[in-house]
Amino acid sequence: MHSSTEPAVRFVEVVKTFGGADQCHRVLDQVSFSIPKGMTTVIAGGSGQGKSVILKLVLGLLRPDAGSILVGGQDVPKLGYKALQQVRMRFGVLFQGAALFDSLTVFENIALPLRERTRLDEGGIREKVEQTLDQLELGGHGQKYPAQLSGGMKKRVGLARALQLEPEIVLYDEPTTGLDPVMTREIYDLFARTQQRLGYTAIIVSHDIPQVFELADQIILLNRGELDVFGRVEEIAYSRKPFIREFAEKTMGLPTPGRI
Ligand SMILES: Nc1ncnc2c1ncn2[C@@H]1O[C@H](COP(=O)(O)OP(=O)(O)OP(=O)(O)O)[C@@H](O)[C@H]1O
Ligand SMILES: [Mg+2]
């Protein structure tokens, strides 16, 4: 049994390197953090700092060199194929570009996980997909193909598909790439409303700073293998680390204390 205060995901002293002994690149250097249940955690940091690597480790698509990655108390890198498949069923994933199937309609794209992973009959599938289409303001677009949709609509279809199996945890990797600022804001508003209604744990990797911080209950900043966790945006400006104070000034326009 796990208590409700147990985090959705926990990293304990995780090390991840790439390359051989001669050119070893340590992307994560003994990082530890917890992702609390039912909340939104934003992971930020410069390009190539390991944000996507963290998501891939969570899903067991990459293996760490050391440390534990706990999902619901299970250590993901230690799981066999079947148990790993079970753990993956808990996740909804929305990667960059939404990755829709161009030859399938919106309806069929959203129905896909239900057809592959459940025994719902055609009537049950129709009911569930229509309901999600309405929830994500896509009603009436079910018979369109991805090429006929705007960028924001594609992202919404991607989210609709990610939510079909009622995931406990939703992972977003750069979910607003290619959208204009207005659409970006609309998508984040929709994410916030959907997360509040369904109560899942959200992990968002994003460059949309500071907008995305408005959604965050927790912020993780990654830099050169190190990781810092903040409960509130304002705390970022009070960090002792020069790199983080600089980040706060440059990307968020926050005045850092001591320089006023
Ligand atoms: N499969 C891999 N093989 C070798 N190196 C990899 C692999 N995956 C990631 N890396 C390296 O790990 C580092 C972190 O990559 P990652 O994709 O997590 O960056 P990121 O923070 O998501 O960057 P971006 O914001 O550009 O998406 C990079 O230096 C990358 O080259
Ligand atoms: Mg990435």
Side-chain angles (χ1 to χ4, degrees):
M1 288 296 288
H2 303 295
S3 74
S4 59
T5 52
E6 184 205 342
V9 176
R10 193 149 82 91
F11 273 45
V12 185
E13 298 183 354
V14 172
V15 176
K16 180 64 193 167
T17 58
F18 289 106
D22 49 335
Q23 238 196 343
C24 176
H25 177 195
R26 195 169 267 239
V27 177
L28 300 176
D29 192 3
Q30 288 210 303
V31 302
S32 300
F33 61 89
S34 292
I35 307 271
K37 267 189 190 156
M39 295 191 185
T40 297
T41 295
V42 168
I43 302 179
S47 186
Q49 297 302 322
K51 304 180 298 295
S52 298
V53 164
I54 286 182
L55 299 187
K56 286 175 189 162
L57 288 166
V58 170
L59 291 171
L61 296 169
L62 285 175
R63 292 176 68 84
D65 299 87
S68 303
I69 295 165
L70 301 160
V71 175
Q74 288 182 286
D75 195 2
V76 172
K78 294 211 174 85
L79 297 178
Y81 178 79
K82 252 198 145 150
L84 186 57
Q85 291 302 107
Q86 290 288 329
V87 166
R88 285 183 184 156
M89 290 280 281
R90 296 169 164 217
F91 289 89
V93 180
L94 184 59
F95 281 149
Q96 198 169 338
L100 303 177
F101 292 98
D102 290 333
S103 60
L104 298 181
T105 62
V106 166
F107 183 96
E108 287 304 329
N109 264 287
I110 299 173
L112 203 63
L114 298 172
R115 295 196 196 288
E116 286 183 346
R117 301 291 179 114
T118 73
R119 286 161 197 247
L120 279 180
D121 62 14
E122 204 47 42
I125 289 175
R126 179 153 296 278
E127 194 178 322
K128 208 158 182 329
V129 173
E130 295 288 353
Q131 190 189 358
T132 318
L133 283 169
D134 285 341
Q135 283 173 351
L136 297 186
E137 296 155 34
L138 289 164
H141 296 293
Q143 294 316 308
K144 290 190 177 158
Y145 287 88
Q148 298 170 282
L149 305 178
S150 72
M153 287 163 83
K154 282 186 203 161
K155 309 282 184 198
R156 299 209 298 270
V157 175
L159 179 60
R161 189 176 59 189
L163 295 177
Q164 282 315 289
L165 300 175
E166 290 160 25
E168 291 165 44
I169 308 168
V170 180
L171 307 181
Y172 305 86
D173 198 349
E174 306 285 358
T176 61
T177 304
L179 299 185
D180 65 38
V182 174
M183 192 84 93
T184 296
R185 178 157 296 275
E186 280 174 15
I187 286 288
Y188 283 134
D189 286 346
L190 180 76
F191 284 178
R193 289 199 302 277
T194 313
Q195 195 263 342
Q196 271 159 19
R197 195 174 59 236
L198 301 180
Y200 50 77
T201 305
I203 306 177
I204 306 181
V205 167
S206 174
H207 285 293
D208 301 317
I209 294 160
Q211 296 108 297
V212 71
F213 286 163
E214 288 171 21
L215 301 190
D217 298 301
Q218 170 174 285
I219 295 163
I220 292 178
L221 290 187
L222 260 177
N223 187 52
R224 298 177 185 226
E226 280 187 42
L227 174 154
D228 292 82
V229 182
F230 300 91
R232 276 159 32 95
V233 177
E234 294 77 12
E235 287 171 21
I236 295 175
Y238 288 86
S239 171
R240 285 166 190 270
K241 296 189 182 174
F243 141 73
I244 291 180
R245 292 160 68 106
E246 192 184 316
F247 175 89
E249 269 187 2
K250 280 202 180 139
T251 64
M252 300 155 63
L254 286 179
T256 55
R259 291 200 39 181
I260 304 165

